[in-house]
Amino acid sequence: MAAGFAFFGTCVDTPRLGEVRGLEAPSLLVVSDGRISQRCMGAEALERRRQLEQEGVEVRVLEQGEVLLPGFIDGHIHFPQFCFAGCGIDMPLMHPEGFLAKYAFPTEESMGEVERAKVVYRAALEVLLHCGTTTAVIYGSLHLGASKVLVDVALERKGPRAFVGKVCADRYCPDTYVEETEQSLQDTEDFIQYTQSRRTGSEAPFLVQPVVTPRFLPTCTPKLLQGLGRLADKYGCIIQSHLSESIDEVEFSATLFPGQTDAEVFHQFGLLKSPSMMGHSVQLMQGEEELLRQNGAAIAHCPLSNFFFASGALPVKQLLKRGVKVALGTDIAGGYSPSMLTAMRSAVMAAKTLQFRHVKGCAFGTESEAPSAKRAKNAEAPAGSSEDELSHFEALYLATKGGAEALDLGHLLGSFEVGCRFDALRLRSQVGPMASFPASSQADMLLKIITLGDDRNVKQVFVDGELVHSL
């Protein structure tokens, strides 16, 4: 296979949680037909670079202060909600005057105007590329037309990879923004067929892919859930929803499905399997974690929005150790930032909160268990211990390889393994807060980008080997 081009320099990935590869010596990545066809490091990389240059192959050399990373994978984002990102996060989720009622539902309803949806969705895709997101698992609106438009504009833009869900809801929504059950199922099947017909090539991961999307249990009748489960099975679709997100959601769902947890309901209707991406899951009840693990379902960890709506922090390290897959998401607009760098930083801070304690006799409260204590009774490490800590490099794993594994695409996305698609970011550290203070090592350079970086640091973005964004 003839080489298309190659990158030489600090090419870093995280093939496993806790492992960072490519910081100690320069790497060379050869890209052919959108895939990584060769990877070598150290002296071998230097020799291979020389050979390729002699053969006339373009070798793109990373400059001092630059690093190449796999593209970021956003596991949970609501595209219509870009319109009000940064607003409403001081409100309760499900109150009659809360986040959903005042902001989310009216804004999503406005996507029924197809031309407006087209403008919003094009802008949202552009924002994600500027932030370095090369794959996004997306919630659209209830509208079939707007959902098809999202597929169209993603194909037109050639990135990021768009796993698109036409949201389904047939109860407990505003009268002007709710579906009839049969129409929801019919539109969902139409959307699945349309999206699958737009895919090009014969191999996953496709640039666009349909996602079966019951909004969450309070807005979905058993009949709708049953029908969506059958459609997901019939067409082999990814599934996404919100699961055990907040105290008010869990309590309301319990009145609708007495005696069953969120996970049990999704499982009953064939909507908890691999691959499926369940948002939040901060308020997991006993047995839900095990159902997720047994079925290969993943959690889309949205730490920033969890601070505002979930009243808790997800014990990511504990879940990963017990075999539950965890991705990372921005959750626009429950989370106000579309940047996966912000999501990484928020994930690290959220993990820190699991260790918060008051000493005995403290003036600010009584000594109590950490939020994860009850869920950790049988864990290897006690809740709130250093085992809960998440490093910034581990958060990078969640944003890349972890997201790919959650989608059952770890063999094709999220790392620089030979055979993976070349979805990648060229990042620079010479701008922003760190510009005047260069790092003393490659590891510190990468850490500075993760902790201080923003879209100004994203110099180039590639999807399937094609340059889709450049500063």
Side-chain angles (χ1 to χ4, degrees), residues 109-396:
E109 184 178 356
S110 72
M111 295 301 108
E113 184 182 337
V114 172
E115 289 304 313
R116 171 171 168 76
K118 188 179 295 185
V119 171
V120 171
Y121 293 162
R122 278 179 175 157
L125 290 168
E126 206 65 42
V127 169
L128 291 193
L129 289 175
H130 282 231
C131 292
T133 298
T134 57
T135 297
V137 186
I138 301 167
Y139 288 72
S141 66
L142 303 184
H143 310 100
L144 175 59
S147 300
K148 289 181 177 180
V149 161
L150 178 47
V151 169
D152 294 341
V153 296
L155 287 168
E156 175 188 292
R157 187 59 182 85
K158 298 184 178 180
R161 297 184 192 277
F163 293 73
V164 180
K166 188 209 83 66
V167 172
C168 299
D170 64 346
R171 65 175 174 181
Y172 292 114
C173 292
D175 291 342
T176 54
Y177 188 62
V178 68
E179 299 175 297
E180 294 293 333
T181 305
E182 292 301 330
Q183 190 65 54
S184 179
L185 293 172
Q186 181 180 322
D187 286 353
T188 298
E189 186 162 23
D190 186 336
F191 174 70
I192 291 170
Q193 292 173 344
Y194 178 80
T195 306
Q196 291 184 343
S197 74
R198 298 298 316 276
R199 302 189 305 200
T200 57
S202 59
E203 297 181 44
F206 301 102
L207 191 61
V208 295
Q209 190 158 322
V211 184
V212 170
T213 308
R215 186 185 193 102
F216 66 157
L217 292 187
T219 60
C220 297
T221 62
K223 184 178 180 181
L224 178 59
L225 294 170
Q226 183 179 55
L228 292 175
R230 289 172 176 168
L231 288 175
D233 184 62
K234 178 179 178 179
Y235 291 98
C237 288
I238 292 172
I239 300 158
Q240 66 177 349
S241 192
H242 301 75
L243 187 149
S244 301
E245 175 179 359
S246 64
I247 292 172
D248 52 357
E249 179 270 312
V250 170
E251 290 177 344
F252 188 35
S253 293
T255 68
L256 301 173
F257 300 93
Q260 290 182 287
T261 65
D262 280 16
E264 287 171 337
V265 176
F266 283 117
H267 177 62
Q268 174 188 343
F269 293 112
L271 293 165
L272 194 73
K273 59 183 182 179
S274 182
S276 58
M277 193 79 83
M278 294 296 167
H280 307 288
S281 304
V282 171
Q283 302 294 338
L284 290 183
M285 307 296 285
Q286 290 290 337
E288 289 193 286
E289 174 190 307
E290 182 59 19
L291 263 181
L292 287 164
R293 187 194 66 78
Q294 288 177 357
N295 287 279
I299 294 172
H301 177 36
C302 306
L304 188 55
S305 64
N306 287 347
F307 278 118
F308 300 109
F309 296 117
S311 301
L314 189 75
V316 171
K317 292 285 282 291
Q318 294 180 33
L319 289 163
L320 289 171
K321 287 180 179 178
R322 297 179 214 171
V324 179
K325 295 183 287 188
V326 181
L328 192 60
T330 60
D331 195 23
I332 290 287
Y336 51 76
S337 172
S339 171
M340 289 295 285
L341 290 170
T342 300
M344 284 183 250
R345 297 190 280 262
S346 300
V348 172
M349 289 190 290
K352 288 286 186 184
T353 67
L354 294 171
Q355 301 174 65
F356 286 0
R357 288 289 194 279
H358 286 131
V359 298
K360 188 175 183 180
C362 177
F364 304 120
T366 57
E367 185 179 13
S368 62
E369 288 185 310
S372 60
K374 291 184 179 180
R375 292 193 298 269
K377 293 300 185 183
N378 299 318
E380 297 176 6
S385 75
S386 60
E387 294 293 323
D388 286 313
E389 285 198 18
L390 191 74
S391 74
H392 287 89
F393 291 158
E394 288 170 331
L396 175 61

Side-chain angles (χ1 to χ4, degrees), residues 50-64:
R50 184 186 64 80
Q51 293 172 355
L52 289 173
E53 289 173 338
Q54 288 179 346
E55 295 168 6
V57 175
E58 179 189 7
V59 178
R60 304 172 186 181
V61 180
L62 298 172
E63 299 175 7
Q64 183 69 28

